[in-house]
């Protein structure tokens, strides 16, 4: 057994598997958590964030590249430009399903190494595309699609880190993990313009490669696999989760939060260029993703403190107001108002990302505990185990649907621009959608229903 396995060694006789595997892991045991669990979890969180961050950086390559393709000899219509940023989003959403299973199948540390190395593929192909500007548009689409591998990293990272932390304290670490990844969006959009000016567009592909190698090596030496997590859930359980009403509802809500964040992040530069053509969009597009990323752990913290459902409902109301303010700014032709309102919307997407993600395990935990006698410790432990497995399977589906929702956001803007030459109709549709999300959150999680002899809401049960 290695030293890293020893530091989380069992109090009773579990058999170590060797290598970077930990066979005994009980984060809900306060003594275990204080003695070794917190330290091991924090180390794995740090390197998980690093790899996921690079995944987002690569995923968003084309959101900045499309603003500079004309200077590289590639001229595209607005519709073609939006498709180059939409396809990576769509592929990234699809990749979240297999990536969710990967840590359970191969080990969280092992898969982090593999998923980091896979990022060389889109970076290498990006370099090829920029050095060969005459390649056909369909080839550009295929090359852009490979950046979706970076979008899959989010699902595997979140699924892995969930197992390291106690059930009641997952909001903040999951928020930090997600925020660290989400910040890759703004880092790409902030760092690339000066890099392009200095070294040309091709540098956007080369710059990430040494960092990708560093992430893979770091994960190999400093992360762990959890034996307990390898039996987390099965494909059959994920299929059952897809039919679960709670999974369906939370998928819609996650479209509203994460779908909005990633959809706006991919589209923000194009929206600025279309609405305010005299403004250099590349100077500002990073601000949105940056604001949303920083707000995500705050949303998780608020959810831990006040309940995910309460925070989520209020947040959707604020999202609707924010989008309405963007529409007013478009009508008034005010760039400062447009930027301020859109940044407010980005902040609310981040808060909502944190609060909705905190809701998912809490929903299944509350449902399972409601069906057992909690004075029976063994029955309670079995219920908590079922809740973890069900929530882990549901998270894979919900995160995939939420990312796919970003495609819907982008296409709403594309159709609005092509049909009306502006984005105001799309903004009104989005404001109405956020209103629907307010109602869904209240109806399913804040409305009181009869549970046994009492009336209570899921929010009162800890959701």
């Amino acid at each position: 057994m290695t030293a890293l396995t020893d530091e989380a060694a069992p109090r009773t006789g579990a058999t170590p598997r060797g290598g970077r595997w930990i066979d005994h892991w009980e984060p809900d045991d306060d003594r275990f958590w204080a003695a070794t669990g917190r330290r091991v979890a924090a180390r794995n969180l740090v390197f998980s964030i690093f790899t996921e961050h690079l995944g987002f950086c690569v995923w968003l390559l084309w959101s900045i590249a499309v603003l500079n393709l004309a200077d590289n000899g590639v001229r595209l219509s607005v519709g073609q430009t939006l498709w180059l940023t939409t396809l990576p989003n769509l592929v990234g959403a699809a990749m979240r399903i297999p990536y969710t299973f990967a840590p359970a199948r191969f080990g969280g540390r092992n898969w982090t190494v593999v998923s980091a190395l896979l990022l060389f593929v889109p970076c290498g192909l990006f370099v090829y595309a920029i050095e060969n500007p005459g390649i056909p548009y369909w080839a550009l689409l295929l090359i852009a699609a490979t950046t979706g591998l970076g979008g899959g990293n989010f699902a595997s990272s979140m699924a892995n880190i969930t197992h390291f932390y106690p059930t009641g304290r997952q909001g903040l670490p999951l928020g930090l993990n997600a925020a660290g990844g989400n910040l890759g969006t703004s880092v790409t959009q902030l760092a690339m313009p000066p890099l392009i000016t200095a070294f040309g567009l091709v540098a956007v592909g080369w710059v990430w490669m040494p960092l990708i190698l560093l992430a893979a090596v770091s994960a190999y030496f400093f992360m762990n696999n959890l034996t307990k997590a390898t039996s987390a859930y099965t494909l059959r359980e994920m299929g059952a989760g897809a039919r679960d009403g709670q999974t369906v509802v939370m998928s819609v809500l996650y479209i509203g939060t994460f779908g909005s964040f990633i959809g706006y992040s991919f589209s923000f530069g194009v929206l600025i260029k279309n609405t305010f053509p005299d403004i250099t969009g590349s100077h500002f597009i990073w601000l949105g993703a940056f604001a949303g990323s920083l707000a995500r752990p705050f949303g998780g913290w608020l959810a831990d403190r006040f309940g995910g459902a309460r925070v989520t409902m209020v947040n959707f109301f604020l999202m609707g107001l924010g989008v309405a303010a963007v529409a007013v700014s478009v009508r008034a032709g005010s760039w400062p108002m447009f930027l301020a309102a859109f940044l407010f919307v980005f902040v609310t997407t981040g808060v909502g990302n944190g609060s909705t993600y905190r809701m998912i395990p809490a929903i299944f935990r509350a449902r399972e505990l409601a069906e057992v006698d909690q004075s029976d410790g063994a029955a309670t432990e079995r219920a908590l185990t079922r809740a973890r497995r069900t929530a882990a399977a549901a998270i894979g589906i919900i995160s995939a649907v939420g990312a796919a929702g970003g495609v819907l956001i982008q296409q709403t803007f594309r159709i609005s621009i092509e049909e009306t030459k502006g984005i105001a109709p799309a903004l009104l549709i989005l404001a109405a959608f956020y209103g629907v999300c307010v109602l869904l959150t209240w109806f399913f999680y804040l409305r009181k229903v009869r549970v046994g002899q009492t009336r209570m809401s899921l929010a009162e049960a800890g959701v």
Side-chain angles (χ1 to χ4, degrees), residues 66 76-88 137 141 263 266-268 270-271 410-415 417-418:
V66 294
L76 304 173
S77 68
V78 173
Q80 287 177 316
T81 299
L82 283 171
W83 270 115
L84 273 181
T85 60
T86 297
L87 200 56
Y137 179 67
L141 286 175
F266 272 108
S267 305
F268 197 31
V270 177
L271 300 183
Q410 291 172 278
Q411 291 304 300
T412 300
F413 283 122
R414 182 186 65 81
I415 294 170
I417 290 172
E418 290 184 341

Side-chain angles (χ1 to χ4, degrees), residues 286-356:
W286 66 275
L287 287 170
F290 182 74
S293 300
L294 291 185
R296 181 156 188 161
F298 181 61
W301 177 82
L302 287 174
D304 282 342
R305 186 172 177 84
F306 301 107
R310 294 185 182 91
V311 173
T312 296
M313 188 180 77
V314 172
N315 189 73
F316 273 126
F317 178 74
L318 295 176
M319 289 180 75
L321 290 181
V323 168
V326 175
V328 171
S329 73
V330 171
R331 181 179 292 273
S334 171
W335 161 246
M337 184 179 178
F338 176 90
L339 181 61
F342 232 127
L343 290 181
F344 175 79
V345 173
F346 269 107
V347 168
T348 59
T349 66
V351 171
N353 285 339
S355 64
T356 50

Side-chain angles (χ1 to χ4, degrees), residues 47 79 83 132 148 163-164 166 199 213 254 260 272 278 286 308 311 360 362-363 378 403 439:
F47 293 103
W83 270 115
N132 295 272
H163 294 287
F164 279 92
F199 301 104
L213 182 60
Y254 204 55
S260 294
I272 293 173
D278 294 333
W286 66 275
V311 173
I360 299 168
I363 288 168
L439 295 177

Side-chain angles (χ1 to χ4, degrees), residues 9 22 48 100 123 156 181 215 241 288 290 300 307 317 340 346 350 379 390 416 433 447 451:
I22 294 176
S48 174
T100 297
C123 289
S156 57
F290 182 74
F317 178 74
F346 269 107
T390 305
S416 179
F433 172 60
R447 181 177 62 99
V451 179

